Amino acid sequence: MKAAKLALFALVGAASAASLTPRGAPALVSRLRGAGADVDGIALAPKARSSLVTAPSVAPRMLVRGGSTKKLVASAPAKIDFALMAYFFFWYVLNYYYTLNNKRALTAAGGKDGFPMTVAFLQLVIGSIYGLFLWAAPDARKAPAVTSSDLIKMLPIAIFFAGAHAFSVFSMGAGAVSFTQIVKAAEPAFAAVLGTTIYGKSISKAKWLALIPVIGGVCLASAKELDFAWSALITAMLANLMAAFRSNENKKLMETAGLKERIGTVGNQFALTMILSAVVLLPVWMATEMSKWGAFVETFKQSKALQVNLLTSAIFFYIYNELSTLTIKKTSATTQSVANTAKRVIVIVGVAIVLKESLDPMKLLGCAIGIGGVFLYSMVK
């Protein structure tokens, strides 16, 4: 019941955060326009800038001296952007509790030998139902006007999104959450390699050099990992690979003429991706764990922990991904990268403490080096 109350609190809090936008977004996510960054696989355009503090515009005054005119800009006291602070707060909180409840659901379902694919699949299904509800609810989000051709073009993104999610869930079920998070911090390395070898992008020498501490930190953290499992390492790396493909494909898709207008909002794009991902993962689940559905249902009936944590982790997963996009409207891509880095540190340490996972000094050092490398990678040009 405690987790259920937390889910209700998060939903209300997230809705309150969204209502703080100038236009009063009714369905958690206001209409995001502009371009710029790719957060959790969601592509946006190049206008996002600003910070936690904004200053109101002030009319300039003119000063005339000896025939010359000078413009003086009056200073004004800074105004705190409470909406942006709320976005960051609930994004961090929900990401933390998604990670924690996801691990608890996996543990209640038997860990890596239980039903990890079923858990991953049902999380996408529950998220899809929530996305459909936002379109159907009165005064909520306007549904997209996409065509069947648009949906077909979105399939590659859905495949990679489903793959990244499923492999992440497998990794967290097979080993320590903190270990999975450390390995997933190396995602920029996968994105850089794929970008240059497959998508024809150029990466500066400074960025390549910044990848050295990222990879080195992951190796150092793995060397003394008490909860190390090869399956956790391999599936986390596969999750990075899927996420890197997803990001690149997402950027290509958003260049399609008229698609952004037909989708309407970034929230709609995420909802469509979630629904298509559930459809994509369905045959994979049928081929791997559908035969164990009866056993899962029995476990689900008998385990309150599985019931509560499966539902809450699915809702938290959906909402924190949407809330993270709200920060793009008011911040720059660099600020977003820094925020992502800080978030990962909080999740690694916080979840490790709650779940009593190992926090060996060597592991912490490797984590610090790896996360620092990610921060450096996001800052250099």
Side-chain angles (χ1 to χ4, degrees):
M1 291 302 296
K2 183 178 179 181
K5 290 180 180 178
L6 175 62
L8 179 61
F9 166 75
L11 286 169
V12 174
S16 301
S19 68
L20 291 172
T21 59
R23 297 185 182 179
L28 303 180
V29 183
S30 59
R31 295 182 177 276
L32 300 179
R33 296 184 180 88
D38 184 76
V39 179
D40 290 328
I42 301 174
L44 303 171
K47 284 181 189 177
R49 58 162 85 92
S50 144
S51 63
L52 284 174
V53 178
T54 58
S57 59
V58 178
R61 294 180 297 171
M62 307 303 295
L63 177 65
V64 180
R65 282 185 182 172
S68 63
T69 302
K70 294 184 179 180
K71 183 182 289 187
L72 298 180
V73 180
S75 62
K79 184 175 66 176
I80 298 176
D81 192 334
F82 289 102
L84 182 57
M85 293 177 66
Y87 301 157
F88 272 115
F89 175 77
F90 285 106
W91 169 29
Y92 276 34
V93 169
L94 292 176
N95 187 286
Y96 167 78
Y97 278 107
Y98 157 71
T99 306
L100 183 62
N101 289 13
N102 182 52
K103 179 64 175 180
R104 286 171 171 168
L106 289 166
T107 301
K112 65 178 180 179
D113 298 321
F115 313 93
M117 179 59 75
T118 301
V119 170
F121 174 61
L122 289 179
Q123 285 172 339
L124 295 184
V125 171
I126 295 169
S128 298
I129 294 172
Y130 180 72
L132 291 170
F133 167 77
L134 292 181
W135 288 332
D139 300 322
R141 175 184 297 156
K142 183 179 178 181
V146 292
T147 64
S148 57
S149 177
D150 293 332
L151 295 178
I152 292 174
K153 290 176 182 177
M154 291 184 71
L155 274 178
I157 297 174
I159 292 172
F160 294 128
F161 182 90
H165 176 64
F167 282 126
S168 294
V169 171
F170 266 90
S171 182
M172 282 189 274
V177 172
S178 54
F179 176 68
T180 298
Q181 290 291 325
I182 292 170
V183 177
K184 282 174 63 63
E187 184 182 323
F190 288 80
V193 173
L194 283 180
T196 55
T197 58
I198 296 180
Y199 293 94
K201 297 180 179 180
S202 59
I203 304 294
S204 68
K205 182 180 291 185
K207 281 190 173 291
W208 282 117
L209 291 174
L211 291 177
I212 295 176
V214 175
I215 298 172
V218 170
C219 293
L220 190 62
S222 304
K224 297 291 289 186
E225 173 57 47
L226 298 179
D227 299 311
F228 179 85
W230 279 105
S231 55
L233 174 64
I234 293 171
T235 50
M237 293 179 68
L238 288 173
N240 284 343
L241 183 64
M242 294 291 106
F245 269 116
R246 178 194 65 205
S247 298
N248 283 287
E249 288 295 325
N250 209 20
K251 290 175 182 176
K252 283 176 54 180
L253 177 72
M254 296 313 292
E255 294 174 359
T256 304
L259 178 62
K260 192 181 300 182
E261 291 71 24
R262 290 192 293 274
I263 290 177
T265 65
V266 173
N268 281 345
Q269 182 185 346
F270 180 72
L272 287 170
T273 302
M274 176 73 76
I275 294 168
L276 289 173
S277 296
V279 173
V280 166
L281 207 58
L282 174 60
V284 180
W285 171 76
M286 293 175 66
T288 56
E289 290 188 9
M290 189 176 74
S291 60
K292 301 194 296 182
W293 176 248
F296 173 80
V297 171
E298 287 303 315
T299 302
F300 184 82
K301 289 179 180 178
Q302 298 172 13
S303 175
K304 191 71 174 179
L306 178 57
Q307 295 170 18
V308 173
N309 288 295
L310 177 60
L311 176 62
T312 54
S313 64
I315 298 298
F316 293 160
F317 176 72
Y318 188 102
I319 300 177
Y320 95 71
N321 273 287
E322 285 209 20
L323 282 173
S324 68
T325 65
L326 281 168
T327 63
I328 285 291
K329 185 178 181 180
K330 292 174 173 285
T331 61
S332 66
T334 300
T335 301
Q336 191 73 13
S337 297
V338 173
N340 258 319
T341 302
K343 176 208 71 178
R344 197 174 294 279
V345 173
I346 292 172
V347 170
I348 289 173
V349 177
V351 173
I353 292 173
V354 172
L355 297 180
K356 295 181 173 57
E357 295 179 349
S358 65
L359 285 172
D360 183 272
M362 189 69 75
K363 178 178 178 179
L364 290 176
L365 177 61
C367 174
I369 294 174
I371 296 296
V374 173
F375 175 79
L376 183 62
Y377 181 89
S378 69
M379 297 296 291
V380 299
K381 300 297 183 182

